[in-house]
Amino acid sequence: MRIKNRIVSRYYTTPSTYNALVYQKDGRYYAKDEEENIICTDSPTACIQEAVDHVSSKGGGIVFLKGGTYKLSRGIILRDKVSLIGSGIHSTRLVPLPNFSNSYMISLEGNKEYLACWRRISDIYIYNNYNVNYGIYADNKVGASCMVIERVLIRDAVVAGIYQGQGNAVWTVRDCGIFGGTKGYGMYMHYTGDSHYENNEIFGYSKGVFAIALGNSVFIDNRIYMAKRYDDVQDSGLGMHLHSSSGVRIIGDRYDQNDIKGLYIRDSHDISVVGVLTWKNGVYCTRNPCYGVGIQIYGGSNITVKDCVSLNDYGHGVETIGGYGIVVEGCVVRDPCYSTDLQSECRAFDFYRSNRIVVRNNHAVDTRSPPVMKYGFKFDGNTDLLFDGITAYGYISSEINIINNNKLRRNYGTATISANTTSTTVTHNLICTPSKVYVTPLGQLPGPIWVSNVNNTSFTINISQAPTSDLQIAWYAEC
């Protein structure tokens, strides 16, 4: 079951324990405390805020919003140690009035005691109506930590559905839907961390997720799709943009039909991406140019991409540009370069000027007839490169294209000892002086064969007696 169906199918009756209840009756709005004392008979805005303030004054607790549409004239400030719980997103709705006076629907007050409590917002539909900047907002450095947001639907925020500002750490966001058609972000995390994002569905913003300087956090089973490219929004059209972050794990996410890139990791460190699916990124983009990469790594260090699948992305499936200490292992790219316009340069995997990179047990497949994929793998100017167990099927030109002096940890090829000569020198393109060199003649030997003059750029293959015709020699070298 998709996330949207899962969150809308939940419905909650009034909980047995609450500290304040907000409800409407006969067209009027009320708030009462746990002892049934009426604490507000006013507008929905006033009753929600007075209920929150009342519970806060008693040391914290739960404010429950019964089913209904609450038309707000200003945003709600959620106090320290107060949770705001609705009856379900089909039942409890927060909607801004035309004269709405704040930039947020719900703003989080900072904790008075660091990491001393948990707050929760759940089972509410927040409709920003294209004229409120934020659905849920925690300003920079307010100390709004230890937050749970679950089963919340946020629509049409101008800047961000959820904004997790600087220093507001230890959040859990799960089972939420964040949908919109604006130039903003589904979720924006800024200089924060130690958070958990799971089973969320984010649709239709210029970036689904923008995380800058996010640390020690995990994304699990989120779907991020249909991020749109806008000419006047920098780096728009990205499913997730992870920038200058560290210690982040991405497990089982799905990125599909985003205009430019599914998952974009830039200048980040100690990142793990496992079991991610990308599909048709760039295919439906209407603003040229559309790049359409499934996963792109730009700079950074110690990044692992493992057991991921790219299907029908407009451009490459997996691409690295720069970066150090990158491992790409066990991934499959099927039918890259969705458009035949890209046939001349189409490759499933593209590695460009990266350093200390391992490419192991990956597979590139083109099932189309005729095929579009020119190369399965392209290695261009990389340093300290090791590849092993990689295969490609259905390519036009070659399985592997190696250009511009890549420096490898292991390499192999064929060399020729010309007729009437007794040696040939091989440039091995390794990052080191090889510790192992093996040679195998591919024809009849006229005498013993051996290797000499092994150094950091080349080695020499020798034969005791010159052949009468050219002799092909297969060679293998590794650090």
Side-chain angles (χ1 to χ4, degrees):
M1 182 186 294
R2 290 305 308 154
I3 295 161
K4 182 178 179 182
N5 296 330
R6 186 163 64 244
I7 63 174
V8 300
S9 65
R10 300 236 184 169
Y11 181 83
Y12 288 83
T13 57
T14 305
S16 57
T17 300
Y18 61 84
N19 304 96
L21 175 68
V22 181
Y23 61 99
Q24 62 182 48
K25 182 178 180 182
D26 300 328
R28 300 184 65 184
Y29 290 86
Y30 302 87
K32 63 182 180 181
D33 64 16
E34 56 194 332
E35 297 177 352
E36 305 294 321
N37 298 309
I38 298 296
I39 56 178
C40 176
T41 57
D42 203 333
S43 69
T45 308
C47 284
I48 295 173
Q49 191 63 64
E50 288 187 33
V52 168
D53 293 346
H54 172 80
V55 172
S56 177
S57 70
K58 301 295 184 181
I62 295 174
V63 173
F64 182 76
L65 305 182
K66 291 202 73 171
T69 298
Y70 297 84
K71 296 182 178 181
L72 306 181
S73 60
R74 65 179 186 274
I76 302 300
I77 299 175
L78 192 61
R79 307 295 185 192
D80 182 31
K81 302 182 182 179
V82 178
S83 293
L84 191 64
I85 312 298
S87 299
I89 64 169
H90 261 350
S91 182
T92 301
R93 299 178 180 87
L94 304 183
V95 178
L97 288 167
N99 63 343
F100 191 86
S101 62
N102 291 110
S103 62
Y104 53 81
M105 295 292 286
I106 299 175
S107 177
L108 305 181
E109 182 183 64
N111 298 344
K112 294 180 176 62
E113 302 174 51
Y114 181 65
L115 301 185
C117 72
W118 285 94
R119 277 182 289 185
R120 186 157 61 104
I121 300 173
S122 71
D123 306 295
I124 296 173
Y125 177 8
I126 301 172
Y127 181 45
N128 289 58
N129 199 26
Y130 296 100
N131 67 350
V132 181
N133 286 347
Y134 304 96
I136 298 174
Y137 179 77
D139 202 358
N140 296 330
K141 299 182 180 180
V142 299
S145 297
C146 301
M147 186 71 213
V148 175
I149 302 170
E150 59 184 350
R151 297 185 303 276
V152 173
L153 177 61
I154 301 173
R155 287 286 305 272
D156 302 323
V158 176
V159 177
I162 295 175
Y163 180 82
Q164 184 180 355
Q166 182 177 352
N168 303 308
V170 197
W171 281 30
T172 296
V173 182
R174 62 188 173 218
D175 296 332
C176 292
I178 306 173
F179 306 140
T182 74
K183 296 181 180 181
Y185 312 103
M187 291 196 295
Y188 190 152
M189 304 84 159
H190 182 249
Y191 286 89
T192 185
D194 299 309
S195 295
H196 183 102
Y197 312 93
E198 184 171 2
N199 285 327
N200 301 295
E201 192 165 319
I202 302 172
F203 164 84
Y205 289 90
S206 69
K207 288 183 186 178
V209 173
F210 182 36
I212 182 167
L214 179 69
N216 302 320
S217 297
V218 61
F219 295 82
I220 301 176
D221 293 339
N222 302 283
R223 184 188 178 195
I224 303 171
Y225 60 112
M226 299 296 285
K228 296 300 180 185
R229 178 183 179 269
Y230 295 94
D231 294 335
D232 57 344
V233 179
Q234 184 178 5
D235 290 331
S236 57
L238 309 180
M240 180 188 288
H241 182 177
L242 191 65
H243 194 112
S244 301
S245 298
S246 63
V248 175
R249 292 176 294 157
I250 302 171
I251 304 169
D253 277 8
R254 172 175 170 171
Y255 305 92
D256 62 276
Q257 304 168 80
N258 301 289
D259 273 0
I260 304 299
K261 300 167 190 174
L263 174 59
Y264 179 47
I265 302 172
R266 176 154 189 169
D267 298 329
S268 296
H269 310 278
D270 301 314
I271 308 297
S272 176
V273 180
V274 179
V276 160
L277 170 66
T278 68
W279 179 66
K280 287 191 174 181
N281 292 287
V283 171
Y284 301 113
C285 176
T286 58
R287 292 175 170 85
N288 288 323
C290 295
Y291 199 38
V293 172
I295 299 172
Q296 185 185 74
I297 299 167
Y298 191 110
S301 65
N302 300 328
I303 299 170
T304 298
V305 178
K306 187 174 182 179
D307 299 333
C308 296
V309 176
S310 162
L311 304 175
N312 303 116
D313 286 315
Y314 187 85
H316 316 316
V318 177
E319 180 178 45
T320 70
I321 301 174
Y324 177 90
I326 298 170
V327 176
V328 179
E329 182 175 4
C331 296
V332 176
V333 176
R334 193 188 77 180
D335 296 337
C337 308
Y338 188 84
S339 170
T340 55
D341 297 339
L342 303 174
Q343 188 177 67
S344 63
E345 286 299 324
C346 179
R347 55 265 190 191
F349 295 83
D350 189 271
F351 304 95
Y352 179 72
R353 294 190 178 180
S354 299
N355 188 359
R356 200 168 183 84
I357 181 169
V358 176
V359 182
R360 180 184 293 123
N361 298 333
N362 301 287
H363 306 283
V365 182
D366 193 332
T367 64
R368 294 161 291 191
S369 181
V372 176
M373 181 175 70
K374 187 174 183 179
Y375 308 111
F377 300 80
K378 184 175 181 179
F379 300 98
D380 184 352
N382 300 282
T383 302
D384 199 352
L385 168 65
L386 170 62
F387 63 87
D388 187 25
I390 60 177
T391 57
Y393 303 96
Y395 50 82
I396 296 172
S397 182
S398 63
E399 180 177 57
I400 302 171
N401 181 30
I402 301 177
I403 62 174
N404 291 337
N405 198 28
N406 290 271
K407 294 294 185 179
L408 312 176
R409 280 197 162 272
R410 66 174 69 160
N411 201 5
Y412 58 90
T414 58
T416 301
I417 296 180
S418 300
N420 303 314
T421 64
T422 58
S423 66
T424 185
T425 298
V426 175
T427 301
H428 52 66
N429 278 327
L430 296 186
I431 192 67
C432 62
T433 298
S435 63
K436 299 177 182 178
V437 179
Y438 303 108
V439 292
T440 303
L442 301 179
Q444 186 173 359
L445 272 178
I449 189 170
W450 72 95
V451 173
S452 65
N453 301 327
V454 180
N455 58 49
N456 62 357
T457 59
S458 63
F459 57 86
T460 301
I461 303 174
N462 307 276
I463 193 168
S464 61
Q465 183 177 339
T468 58
S469 60
D470 291 353
L471 177 64
Q472 296 288 108
I473 307 289
W475 62 269
Y476 171 91
E478 70 175 58
C479 292

